[in-house]
Amino acid sequence: LRVLGRIPWWLAVFAVALLARLGFLWASGEPLLYLHQYTYFNGGLRIAGHPAPLAYVLYSDEWRYWNGRWTIAPLYHLLAGAVFRLLGPHLLGLRLLQCVMDSIAAVGVAYLGRQAAGPRGAWAGLAYAVYFPAVEMTTWTMTENPHTPLLVSAVALLAHEAVRPRRATALAAGVLAGLSALARSVSTGFLALATLWRFWRRGPAGR
């Protein structure tokens, strides 16, 4: 990243990712596609439009039904509902927030790259910053939008904790990983792997 001069690597990665996502959002005007995007969108609208949204979330599962048959991970519905409640029932505010969150994920990827390959590893974050499926995803109402930055941030914190062990860092990583599992339950598999990894590390601090 030397070509970017004295700009900190993390700021450069974040800026490139955010500009790519905002540029696509402005240029594409892409509508929601397919049933699953409307399912999440409508779940957020139900929460935002309910006269007692907190009670509705706590005492009903209607807002997170999938195909009317089963419930799914709740975090994205809650995020969308909160944004719609604060900013109104339209997509722009949610999409802008998702652009920022995924730009944070790009910084996490860059940090992991640096941990694996030194300063040159930050180019991994730049690659993610312009990776088209990730850029496009931020305009969709999909659970990947909170899940990816939460999970990547959790892994990045675990990598940082491996170099500079601190209980607070490990705790923060666990909280973020848990939140990511509330967005997409596939993260629960990662929790088991992270626990085994910490257990197998040598020394009392690792255990």
Side-chain angles (χ1 to χ4, degrees):
L1 297 179
R2 292 179 182 177
V3 294
L4 298 175
R6 296 184 179 180
I7 302 175
W9 64 266
W10 59 268
L11 182 58
V13 171
F14 180 84
V16 170
L18 186 60
L19 288 174
R21 283 149 183 76
L22 293 178
F24 179 80
L25 174 61
W26 175 79
S28 69
E30 189 174 84
L32 297 183
L33 304 171
Y34 312 115
L35 177 63
H36 45 288
Q37 292 193 50
Y38 284 97
T39 298
Y40 299 127
F41 178 59
N42 290 331
L45 288 178
R46 288 192 189 97
I47 295 172
H50 199 277
L54 182 59
Y56 180 55
V57 166
L58 291 176
Y59 300 112
S60 172
D61 280 322
E62 179 188 18
W63 51 275
R64 65 188 186 109
Y65 278 144
W66 181 266
N67 201 25
R69 297 178 181 178
W70 59 82
T71 58
I72 55 178
L75 187 62
Y76 188 73
H77 294 87
L78 298 175
L79 174 67
V83 172
F84 295 153
R85 185 84 177 185
L86 291 172
L87 303 179
H90 50 78
L91 287 171
L92 180 60
L94 181 62
R95 284 171 163 170
L96 291 174
L97 176 61
Q98 291 176 171
C99 288
V100 172
M101 291 192 301
D102 204 54
S103 299
I104 293 172
V107 174
V109 172
Y111 179 79
L112 289 169
R114 286 172 60 89
Q115 292 294 95
R120 292 178 298 178
W123 285 100
L126 277 181
Y128 181 83
V130 297
Y131 179 55
F132 181 72
V135 172
E136 185 181 28
M137 182 67 68
T138 57
T139 65
W140 295 355
T141 51
M142 295 287 286
T143 55
E144 284 86 349
N145 283 299
H147 176 261
T148 301
L150 286 169
L151 183 59
V152 170
S153 297
V155 177
L157 282 176
L158 281 175
H160 182 72
E161 194 270 344
V163 178
R164 297 180 180 179
R166 289 187 61 189
R167 289 185 178 180
T169 305
L171 175 62
V175 169
L176 290 176
L179 288 173
S180 75
L182 290 176
R184 288 183 65 85
S185 56
V186 66
S187 286
T188 54
F190 170 78
L191 290 174
L193 294 174
T195 302
L196 289 173
W197 175 71
R198 284 188 54 80
F199 180 78
W200 282 331
R201 282 180 55 202
R202 295 180 179 179
R207 288 194 293 274

